[in-house]
Amino acid sequence: PAIPGYKVEKKEEADVALNLVLTHFGLDPSKRGIALRFGGDLCAVSGIGASAAQVVAQARALARALGRDMTEDEINEAGYEGEKGYHGTPSGIDNTAATFGGLLRFQRTDGAPIFEKKRIADPIRIVYASTGITASTTKVVGDVRAKKEADPAWFDDLMNQYLELVKRGEEALDEGDLVALGKCMDENHTLCQKLTVSCKESDDLVDAARKAGAIGAKMSGTGRGGLMLALTPSEEIQEAVFEELKKTAPQVWKTTFA
């Protein structure tokens, strides 16, 4: 499944990504027939990590078909190569999440990224909604990079705010303080607006979720379209936010993880 127009908009990037994974496995489609078919119930939409899910699934399928006993790290490495087709210079967070699953703390470094699985004491309920806009990560990242180069001081100030916010957000998550976590989400959305990666459609959905009872809401993914998500403290509020967002968002989903 996919939101309208997503597969058409992403086809060129997808073709590059899939071929990068094949190359990583030492396969050449011009020399042998290769048929790829993807399935599942994850709706392809900007901001949910659909591209990473695709290339990681491709890597697992190829490993099985070729009889290769690959570690999760090796699968993740193959997925990262594929993500380059979608993102140019991916952070690695999406393919890592798609490979290992669960709730992760991820930190990019000059070398190998650092990540650890997190445990939470109580279930976390979220609602996420689509703006209906398919965004190009490569274009958005390139635009932000240009802004960074044009005004390094502006970018460094935002980055320092981000680092402090991540620390507080992780502490709130570890302590099971959903109210504090929700406030961090709100602050993060404000920073995304300052970074110019939000858009009116995302902002409107974020505002609607908060008014319906969400204790925090923010855009998700690259931005300028794609998804937003809302943190809801109970099943009743989750349902209320879900119903409110359905009034204006093209697609709305809800889930709970523990």
Side-chain angles (χ1 to χ4, degrees):
I3 65 166
Y6 180 91
K7 293 181 180 180
V8 174
E9 179 72 22
K10 293 287 189 177
K11 184 182 185 308
E12 184 176 341
E13 293 177 351
D15 289 344
V16 174
L18 299 179
N19 276 297
L20 284 172
V21 176
L22 292 176
T23 299
H24 184 76
F25 275 80
L27 299 174
D28 185 348
S30 68
K31 295 182 179 179
R32 63 178 295 180
I34 300 173
L36 298 172
R37 177 178 295 177
F38 295 92
D41 57 5
L42 176 68
C43 184
V45 53
S46 293
I48 205 168
S51 64
Q54 180 187 43
V55 293
V56 168
Q58 179 190 5
R60 290 193 188 283
L62 289 172
R64 180 177 298 181
L66 296 170
R68 297 186 187 179
D69 185 16
M70 297 178 66
T71 66
E72 292 293 86
D73 285 333
E74 289 172 330
I75 292 293
N76 194 30
E77 181 181 353
Y80 179 78
E81 289 303 309
E83 279 282 85
K84 292 178 181 178
Y86 279 104
H87 305 310
T89 53
S91 67
I93 186 171
D94 285 353
N95 52 275
T96 300
T99 301
F100 294 95
L103 183 64
L104 304 176
R105 180 188 185 278
F106 182 93
Q107 180 179 350
R108 190 174 183 178
T109 69
D110 292 334
I114 301 170
F115 71 93
E116 62 175 302
K117 282 198 170 186
K118 305 289 292 184
R119 294 184 180 275
I120 53 177
D122 299 305
I124 292 181
R125 300 173 179 85
I126 63 170
V127 178
Y128 54 108
S130 170
T131 61
I133 301 171
T134 298
S136 169
T137 299
T138 302
K139 293 178 182 177
V140 176
V141 170
D143 187 28
V144 172
R145 182 182 295 111
K147 292 179 182 295
K148 172 186 176 181
E149 293 172 352
D151 192 347
W154 165 81
F155 185 85
D156 288 345
D157 178 60
L158 285 180
M159 182 57 64
N160 288 333
Q161 293 181 60
Y162 264 111
L163 292 174
E164 190 271 335
L165 182 58
V166 169
K167 180 181 178 181
R168 286 194 286 118
E170 185 176 8
E171 290 173 351
L173 193 63
D174 290 341
E175 295 169 4
D177 189 342
L178 293 187
V179 173
L181 182 61
K183 290 180 179 178
C184 288
M185 291 174 63
D186 290 341
E187 290 181 45
N188 180 261
H189 187 72
T190 298
L191 287 176
C192 288
Q193 290 173 317
K194 293 179 179 178
L195 196 59
T196 73
V197 296
S198 188
C199 63
K200 183 181 184 302
E201 291 81 359
S202 292
D203 294 343
D204 289 346
L205 290 175
V206 164
D207 289 341
R210 292 170 181 166
K211 290 176 182 177
I215 55 177
K218 65 179 290 294
M219 55 155 276
S220 173
T222 303
R224 296 187 188 169
L227 296 177
M228 57 74 62
L229 62 90
L231 179 64
T232 53
S234 67
E235 290 184 17
E236 293 76 16
I237 294 179
Q238 183 184 43
E239 187 64 27
V241 172
F242 177 77
E243 291 298 328
E244 182 62 29
L245 294 180
K246 280 173 60 178
K247 296 177 182 178
T248 53
Q251 294 89 18
V252 186
W253 304 266
K254 56 183 175 180
T255 191
T256 301
F257 57 94

